[in-house]
Amino acid sequence: MKKDLELYVHIPFCVRKCAYCDFLSFSCSAQKREAYTEALKREIREAFPAGGAAADFDSYRVTTVFFGGGTPSVLPGAQIAAILQELRTRFCFAPDAEISIECNPGTADQDKLKLYRASGINRLSIGLQSADDGELAQLGRIHTWADFCRTYEAARDVGFDNINIDLMSALPGQTQDSWEQTLHRVLACRPEHISAYSLIIEEGTPFYEKYGKDDERRARGETPRYLPDEETERQMYERTQQLLAGAGLHRYEISNYAKDGYECRHNKGYWQGVPYLGFGLGASSFFGQVRWHKTQDLNAYLAGDFSAQETQLLTEKEQIEEFMYLGLRLAEGVSKDDFFRRFGKRVDETYETVLERQLRLGLLEKRDGRIRLTPRGMDLSNMVMAEFLLP
C-alpha cells in the first residue's frame, strides 16, 4: 500500500499586500507571474527529495494539494489548471485527493471558479477576515463584504460544496459587537469550515509600526489604546466557540471549526506528521525526516534555482517534540499507540513528569488511548505545549 504524501504550491503574488501580513508575498507584473508559472512547472518536473532520488516517490500517493499564498487566485485559471496537471503527471494521486486553493474576493469570477472545478479543485478557502467594510479597509484588504458575497455565491453556483472562510479577530478598534456581527453574517452563508484566528502584530509590517507599542502595552497588562484589551479578546474567543458550535461547526483544532466530515485534511496532515513537499518560492518541505525550503529570491527562482536551502535532518528528540506539540493542536490529541509505533517507547514514560503535572492541573486528559487538551488546556495551549520540549 502506498504511503500518504501532501503537496503545497506557493503562489506569492497579491494585488496589494495587506498591512498586517508578513508572508512571502508581493505584487508584480502579469509577465513575471507567467514566467513564475513556467518555472513552477519545471520545478515539479524535476522534483526529488532533498538528499534523495526521484524514485523515492514511487511508494507514495498524493492525498492533498494546497495552493496557498499570497493570493493564488490572482493567476489566470488556466495557469492554475496547468500547474495542477503537471502535478498529476509527476505524482500518483489518490482518487479522493483533497485539492484546495486560497481565494480572495474580487480575484475570482465565475469563469475562473468554473475552471478550478473542471481542473479537479474541490475545496475553496476564501480570505474574508471581517464582514465590516471599515475593518477590511483598515486591514488593507482589497474587497468589501459585498465583494465576498458575490464570490461566495459564484462558488456555490459552479458547484463548490466544501468552502472555508478565514476570519480574524482582535483587530484595532474592533468591538465585541462588531466581531459577533461578522460571525452572524458568515454563519448565515452556511460554510462547511471556518478558520478564526486572532490578529498577531508581526515585526516588519505596517501594523507593527503602527500598533507594535500598543501590543507591547497589552502584553504588560496595561490598557491598550487601539487594540482590544485582554478581557475583550477573551470574550471574542469564547463567543466564537459558542456561536460556531451552535451552528453545527465543531472545533477540531485550536483555531479551526468544521461540519462533520469537512475538516481540512491538508492541515490535519501537517499536525499529524504526514510528509509534504512544497513547490514555489520559499516553499517548505518535510520528507524522510528531512526539512528544507526553497530560495526566497524571485529572480534566482525564475532562473531555475530549485535547490534545497537549509536542509535539516531532525533528531529523534526533535521528532518526538513535534509529534506532541503539533498533535496536541487537534481536539482529538495524540494517540499513545501511534507514539509507540513511531518511536518504540511509551509516551507515559517519555513525558511522565509533564503528563502528571498537566493532568493534575486539568490542562490535559487521557481517554480512549489518546492524550488531549481539555477545554481549559486549549485556552492555555501555548503554555502547555512548551512543556513538551525535552531537555
Side-chain angles (χ1 to χ4, degrees), residues 23-57:
F23 294 158
L24 179 57
S25 60
F26 43 84
S27 60
C28 73
S29 67
Q31 290 82 2
K32 274 214 168 175
R33 294 198 296 269
E34 185 174 359
Y36 182 83
T37 299
E38 292 305 312
L40 192 49
K41 289 158 61 179
R42 289 201 309 275
E43 184 195 354
I44 293 166
R45 287 194 294 271
E46 299 172 10
F48 63 91
D56 291 343
F57 294 144

Coordinates of all heavy atoms in Angstrom, one line a residue, residues 23-57:
F23 N 3.8 37.3 5.3 CA 4.1 36.2 4.5 C 4.9 36.6 3.3 O 5.1 37.8 3.0 CB 2.7 35.6 3.9 CG 1.9 35.0 5.0 CD1 0.5 34.8 4.8 CD2 2.4 34.5 6.2 CE1 -0.3 34.2 5.7 CE2 1.6 34.0 7.2 CZ 0.2 33.8 6.9
L24 N 5.5 35.6 2.6 CA 6.3 35.9 1.4 C 5.3 36.1 0.3 O 4.9 35.2 -0.4 CB 7.2 34.7 1.1 CG 8.1 34.7 -0.1 CD1 9.0 36.0 -0.1 CD2 8.9 33.5 -0.3
S25 N 5.0 37.4 0.1 CA 4.0 37.8 -0.9 C 4.3 39.2 -1.4 O 4.8 40.0 -0.6 CB 2.6 37.7 -0.4 OG 2.4 38.5 0.7
F26 N 3.9 39.5 -2.6 CA 4.1 40.8 -3.2 C 3.3 40.9 -4.5 O 2.8 39.9 -5.1 CB 5.6 41.0 -3.5 CG 6.3 39.8 -4.1 CD1 6.2 39.6 -5.5 CD2 6.9 38.9 -3.3 CE1 6.8 38.5 -6.1 CE2 7.5 37.8 -3.9 CZ 7.5 37.6 -5.2
S27 N 3.2 42.1 -5.1 CA 2.6 42.3 -6.4 C 3.6 42.4 -7.4 O 4.8 42.8 -7.2 CB 1.7 43.6 -6.4 OG 2.5 44.7 -6.1
C28 N 3.3 42.0 -8.6 CA 4.2 42.1 -9.8 C 3.5 42.0 -11.1 O 2.2 41.8 -11.1 CB 5.4 41.1 -9.7 SG 4.9 39.4 -10.1
S29 N 4.2 42.1 -12.2 CA 3.5 42.2 -13.5 C 3.0 40.8 -13.9 O 3.4 39.8 -13.5 CB 4.5 42.7 -14.5 OG 5.5 41.7 -14.7
A30 N 2.0 40.9 -14.9 CA 1.5 39.6 -15.4 C 2.6 38.8 -16.1 O 2.5 37.6 -16.1 CB 0.4 40.0 -16.4
Q31 N 3.5 39.5 -16.7 CA 4.6 38.8 -17.4 C 5.4 38.0 -16.4 O 5.8 36.8 -16.7 CB 5.5 39.8 -18.1 CG 4.9 40.4 -19.4 CD 4.0 41.6 -19.0 OE1 3.9 42.0 -17.8 NE2 3.4 42.2 -20.0
K32 N 5.7 38.6 -15.3 CA 6.5 37.8 -14.3 C 5.7 36.7 -13.7 O 6.2 35.6 -13.3 CB 7.0 38.7 -13.2 CG 8.3 39.4 -13.5 CD 9.2 39.7 -12.3 CE 10.6 40.1 -12.7 NZ 11.4 40.4 -11.5
R33 N 4.4 36.9 -13.5 CA 3.5 35.8 -13.0 C 3.5 34.6 -14.0 O 3.5 33.5 -13.5 CB 2.1 36.4 -12.7 CG 2.1 37.4 -11.6 CD 0.7 37.6 -11.1 NE -0.3 38.1 -12.1 CZ -0.5 39.4 -12.2 NH1 0.1 40.3 -11.5 NH2 -1.4 39.7 -13.2
E34 N 3.5 34.9 -15.3 CA 3.5 33.9 -16.2 C 4.9 33.1 -16.2 O 4.9 31.9 -16.3 CB 3.2 34.4 -17.6 CG 3.1 33.4 -18.7 CD 2.7 33.9 -20.1 OE1 2.5 35.1 -20.2 OE2 2.6 33.1 -21.0
A35 N 5.9 33.9 -16.1 CA 7.3 33.3 -16.0 C 7.4 32.4 -14.8 O 8.0 31.3 -14.8 CB 8.4 34.4 -16.0
Y36 N 6.8 32.9 -13.7 CA 6.8 32.1 -12.4 C 6.0 30.8 -12.6 O 6.5 29.7 -12.2 CB 6.1 32.9 -11.3 CG 6.1 32.2 -10.0 CD1 7.2 32.2 -9.2 CD2 5.0 31.5 -9.5 CE1 7.2 31.6 -7.9 CE2 5.0 30.9 -8.3 CZ 6.1 30.9 -7.5 OH 6.1 30.3 -6.3
T37 N 4.9 30.8 -13.3 CA 4.1 29.6 -13.6 C 5.0 28.6 -14.3 O 5.0 27.4 -14.0 CB 2.9 29.9 -14.4 OG1 2.0 30.8 -13.6 CG2 2.1 28.6 -14.7
E38 N 5.7 29.0 -15.3 CA 6.6 28.2 -16.1 C 7.7 27.6 -15.3 O 8.1 26.4 -15.4 CB 7.1 28.9 -17.3 CG 6.1 29.3 -18.4 CD 5.3 28.1 -18.9 OE1 5.9 27.0 -19.2 OE2 4.0 28.1 -18.9
A39 N 8.3 28.4 -14.4 CA 9.4 27.9 -13.5 C 8.8 26.9 -12.5 O 9.5 25.9 -12.2 CB 10.0 29.1 -12.7
L40 N 7.6 27.1 -12.0 CA 7.0 26.2 -11.1 C 6.8 24.9 -11.8 O 7.0 23.8 -11.1 CB 5.7 26.8 -10.6 CG 4.9 26.2 -9.5 CD1 5.8 26.0 -8.3 CD2 3.7 27.1 -9.1
K41 N 6.3 24.9 -13.0 CA 6.1 23.6 -13.7 C 7.4 22.9 -13.9 O 7.5 21.6 -13.8 CB 5.4 23.9 -15.0 CG 3.9 24.3 -14.9 CD 3.4 25.0 -16.1 CE 3.4 24.3 -17.3 NZ 2.8 25.0 -18.5
R42 N 8.5 23.6 -14.2 CA 9.8 23.0 -14.3 C 10.3 22.4 -13.0 O 10.8 21.3 -13.0 CB 10.9 24.0 -14.8 CG 10.7 24.5 -16.2 CD 12.0 25.0 -16.8 NE 12.6 26.0 -15.9 CZ 12.3 27.3 -15.9 NH1 11.4 27.8 -16.7 NH2 12.9 28.2 -15.1
E43 N 10.0 23.1 -11.9 CA 10.4 22.6 -10.6 C 9.7 21.3 -10.3 O 10.3 20.3 -9.8 CB 10.1 23.6 -9.5 CG 10.6 23.1 -8.1 CD 10.0 23.9 -7.0 OE1 9.3 24.9 -7.2 OE2 10.3 23.4 -5.8
I44 N 8.4 21.2 -10.6 CA 7.6 20.0 -10.4 C 8.2 18.8 -11.2 O 8.3 17.7 -10.7 CB 6.1 20.2 -10.7 CG1 5.6 21.2 -9.7 CG2 5.4 18.9 -10.7 CD1 4.2 21.8 -10.1
R45 N 8.5 19.1 -12.4 CA 9.0 18.0 -13.3 C 10.4 17.5 -12.8 O 10.7 16.3 -12.9 CB 9.2 18.5 -14.7 CG 7.9 18.7 -15.5 CD 8.2 18.9 -17.0 NE 8.9 20.1 -17.3 CZ 8.3 21.3 -17.5 NH1 7.0 21.4 -17.5 NH2 9.0 22.4 -17.8
E46 N 11.1 18.4 -12.1 CA 12.5 18.0 -11.7 C 12.5 17.5 -10.2 O 13.5 17.3 -9.6 CB 13.5 19.1 -11.9 CG 13.6 19.6 -13.3 CD 14.4 20.8 -13.5 OE1 15.0 21.3 -12.5 OE2 14.5 21.4 -14.6
A47 N 11.3 17.4 -9.6 CA 11.2 17.2 -8.2 C 11.9 16.0 -7.7 O 11.9 14.9 -8.3 CB 9.8 17.2 -7.7
F48 N 12.7 16.1 -6.6 CA 13.3 15.0 -5.9 C 13.5 15.3 -4.4 O 13.7 16.5 -4.1 CB 14.6 14.5 -6.5 CG 15.7 15.6 -6.5 CD1 16.6 15.6 -5.4 CD2 15.8 16.5 -7.5 CE1 17.6 16.6 -5.3 CE2 16.8 17.5 -7.4 CZ 17.7 17.5 -6.3
P49 N 13.4 14.4 -3.5 CA 13.6 14.7 -2.1 C 15.0 15.2 -1.9 O 16.0 14.8 -2.6 CB 13.4 13.3 -1.4 CG 12.8 12.5 -2.4 CD 13.2 12.9 -3.8
A50 N 15.2 16.1 -0.9 CA 16.5 16.6 -0.5 C 17.4 15.4 -0.1 O 17.0 14.6 0.8 CB 16.4 17.6 0.6
G51 N 18.5 15.3 -0.8 CA 19.4 14.2 -0.5 C 19.0 12.8 -1.0 O 19.6 11.8 -0.7
G52 N 17.9 12.8 -1.8 CA 17.4 11.5 -2.3 C 17.3 11.5 -3.8 O 17.9 12.3 -4.5
A53 N 16.5 10.5 -4.3 CA 16.3 10.4 -5.7 C 14.9 10.4 -6.1 O 14.0 10.2 -5.2 CB 17.0 9.1 -6.2
A54 N 14.6 10.7 -7.3 CA 13.2 10.8 -7.7 C 12.4 9.6 -7.5 O 11.2 9.6 -7.2 CB 13.1 11.2 -9.2
A55 N 13.0 8.4 -7.6 CA 12.4 7.2 -7.4 C 11.8 7.0 -6.0 O 10.9 6.2 -5.8 CB 13.3 6.0 -7.7
D56 N 12.2 7.8 -5.0 CA 11.7 7.7 -3.7 C 10.2 8.0 -3.6 O 9.6 7.7 -2.6 CB 12.5 8.7 -2.7 CG 13.9 8.2 -2.5 OD1 14.2 7.1 -2.8 OD2 14.7 9.1 -2.1
F57 N 9.7 8.7 -4.6 CA 8.3 9.0 -4.6 C 7.4 7.8 -5.0 O 6.2 7.9 -4.9 CB 8.0 10.2 -5.5 CG 8.6 11.5 -5.0 CD1 9.1 12.4 -6.0 CD2 8.7 11.8 -3.7 CE1 9.7 13.5 -5.6 CE2 9.3 13.0 -3.3 CZ 9.8 13.9 -4.2

